[in-house]
Amino acid sequence: MTTIYRNYDVAKVGNNYVAQSEEEDAVMVSRDFTRIRLAIDLLWDGVARGAMPVWFSTNTVLDLDSVDIEAAESVPSETDPPKQVKKISYTWFALSAFVVSIPLAGLLSLVKSSAETEILFTFAVCAVAVAFGRGYALLMCGLSALLYNLVIVEPALTLTMPTAAELAYILLNILASIAIPMIMKSRGLRPDSGV
């Protein structure tokens, strides 16, 4: 006697149940009928997710009694807990922001572009404010002002008295360092760390 279950013909052959899809040549074999049904259900769930279970193979005959069909899925389902996200430290984040900001600002300064090179340092401060909060953003604000004065302002590699424009950018960075975490907090968002 043959039973059709979810597009599979399931028949008892000797002591085993054999399931074969109407579209494929491969067959699944097990001594337990409920195991055959479970395997078919898991295959259809895999089709719906776009990834077949890890135990599934395209062999001509798949012995379900010799594989763990209840093994972990190849693609997490909606009910699986999220994977742990690796966090980056403040030091590496700030260093990355400076590694991007300083060369770009220096290049813009060299070509005498009409662009405001200070804005790149403000972007770095804003990124730290979003990722780490007010305390680290204020620290980044001070470091960016120091590095801007040291690297970008002529004469290079010499600290000079900040101009009114530089002081305005420092004030803008301080305001961004305070305002961005406050806005995030009012929206229910919270940086990973910070004061």
Side-chain angles (χ1 to χ4, degrees):
M1 180 175 158
T2 301
T3 305
I4 297 176
Y5 181 71
R6 296 185 79 174
N7 207 34
Y8 277 83
D9 293 328
V10 182
K12 181 149 176 128
V13 178
N15 291 334
N16 293 319
Y17 289 93
V18 178
Q20 183 173 10
S21 171
E22 295 173 358
E23 288 105 27
E24 298 173 6
D25 292 332
V27 295
M28 295 183 286
V29 179
S30 177
R31 288 183 295 277
D32 185 10
F33 180 72
T34 56
R35 193 164 177 80
I36 290 274
R37 287 181 50 159
L38 176 62
I40 293 170
D41 289 339
L42 291 172
L43 284 173
W44 279 107
D45 291 346
V47 168
R49 274 195 329 272
M52 300 309 280
V54 293
W55 52 264
F56 182 74
S57 69
T58 56
N59 292 342
T60 328
V61 177
L62 177 60
D63 182 7
L64 295 177
D65 296 330
S66 66
V67 295
D68 184 11
I69 63 172
E70 294 159 356
E73 301 165 353
S74 59
V75 173
S77 68
E78 295 171 3
T79 59
D80 288 340
K83 289 184 177 180
Q84 289 287 14
V85 177
K86 188 175 183 181
K87 293 184 180 181
I88 186 171
S89 71
Y90 166 75
T91 306
W92 283 110
F93 193 86
L95 184 62
S96 301
F98 280 131
V99 165
V100 170
S101 298
I102 291 173
L104 287 176
L107 182 64
L108 288 174
S109 176
L110 283 175
V111 296
K112 303 295 182 204
S113 172
S114 62
E116 302 277 340
T117 56
E118 297 89 348
I119 200 70
L120 293 170
F121 288 92
T122 301
F123 284 143
V125 169
C126 292
V128 169
V130 168
F132 295 98
R134 181 181 63 233
Y136 288 116
L138 288 170
L139 178 62
M140 182 73 160
C141 180
L143 289 173
S144 67
L146 178 70
L147 285 173
Y148 178 80
N149 190 301
L150 189 63
V151 176
I152 304 301
V153 174
E154 293 294 330
L157 302 177
T158 304
L159 287 175
T160 59
M161 200 61 170
T163 64
E166 288 177 64
L167 291 174
Y169 274 110
I170 293 170
L171 181 61
L172 175 72
N173 287 344
I174 290 171
L175 290 174
S177 300
I178 295 169
I180 290 173
M182 285 176 55
I183 292 169
M184 289 176 61
K185 186 177 180 182
S186 72
R187 303 257 182 211
L189 302 171
R190 185 173 134 310
D192 285 336
S193 61
V195 181

